[in-house]
Amino acid sequence: MSEMRRIANLLVAVRPASYPSAHDLDTSIAKLRAAANPASPGEQLRGDIGANGVRLTFSRASGGGVRCAFEGTWIAAGDVFLDGRFVPAGRTTLFLKATSVVLALLFAATVWAWLRDVEVATRVITTLTLLLAIFAFPFAVMAFGSDREVEEIAIAKAIVAALG
């Protein structure tokens, strides 16, 4: 249960991260740009990299959407650092809110079916649908949370490789 809670929290968490660079600012920007624009299709890092800031996402060849992004700024006081945070994608919040609305509507439909004189089959179907949705929701959250964790690791590895 604690692992499920950790992944569910990770799904919507904003996590700070800082990466040192072994290069000067201009070289660091150039190396990160090269890493974010690979020649081969498939799983890759994408983003906008400039002197004012960085926004990186990781996309998969199989699709599936983006679960998080890295937003950062360059700090060039002596040594160069990329300081930023991993933020959830807007679609993640939308998915969670839409799921909450659907579950609330299913609950209301189930209560309505049991309080009104509705056919037994309708009552059973609404109740089973509600129960299946409630039991399936944690697995969906685990899947999305695991995807986000994979994306964070891939982005961090690419940043470390480019700046190291």
Side-chain angles (χ1 to χ4, degrees):
M1 192 62 151
S2 64
E3 181 68 9
M4 186 176 282
R5 181 173 290 139
R6 182 188 71 80
I7 289 188
N9 286 334
L10 177 68
L11 187 60
V12 293
V14 175
R15 193 176 64 80
S18 183
Y19 301 98
S21 177
H23 312 284
D24 62 73
L25 181 60
D26 293 332
T27 307
S28 298
I29 292 171
K31 285 186 173 279
L32 197 56
R33 276 188 185 149
N37 297 312
S40 65
E43 295 186 351
Q44 56 186 322
L45 188 67
R46 296 177 188 229
D48 298 320
I49 297 112
N52 295 332
V54 172
R55 179 169 169 79
L56 298 170
T57 59
F58 185 77
S59 64
R60 292 186 182 86
S62 61
V66 173
R67 304 282 179 250
C68 76
F70 177 80
E71 297 173 346
T73 56
W74 296 102
I75 299 174
D79 293 333
V80 176
F81 286 90
L82 179 58
D83 190 40
R85 60 197 181 136
F86 288 97
V87 295
R91 290 178 39 184
T92 302
T93 315
L94 179 65
F95 165 76
L96 293 172
K97 288 179 181 178
T99 304
S100 296
V101 169
V102 168
L103 287 173
L105 290 173
L106 273 172
F107 181 76
T110 302
V111 169
W112 176 82
W114 283 97
L115 291 177
R116 297 287 181 180
D117 190 23
V118 178
E119 293 180 20
V120 174
T122 304
R123 283 188 243 164
V124 170
I125 288 173
T126 56
T127 303
L128 285 176
T129 304
L130 174 64
L131 290 175
L132 287 173
I134 288 171
F135 288 129
F137 183 67
F139 293 106
V141 169
M142 281 288 284
F144 281 116
S146 296
D147 279 353
R148 165 143 181 200
E149 192 169 36
V150 166
E151 287 182 15
E152 276 191 22
I153 291 169
I155 292 170
K157 281 177 64 175
I159 291 172
V160 168
L163 299 180

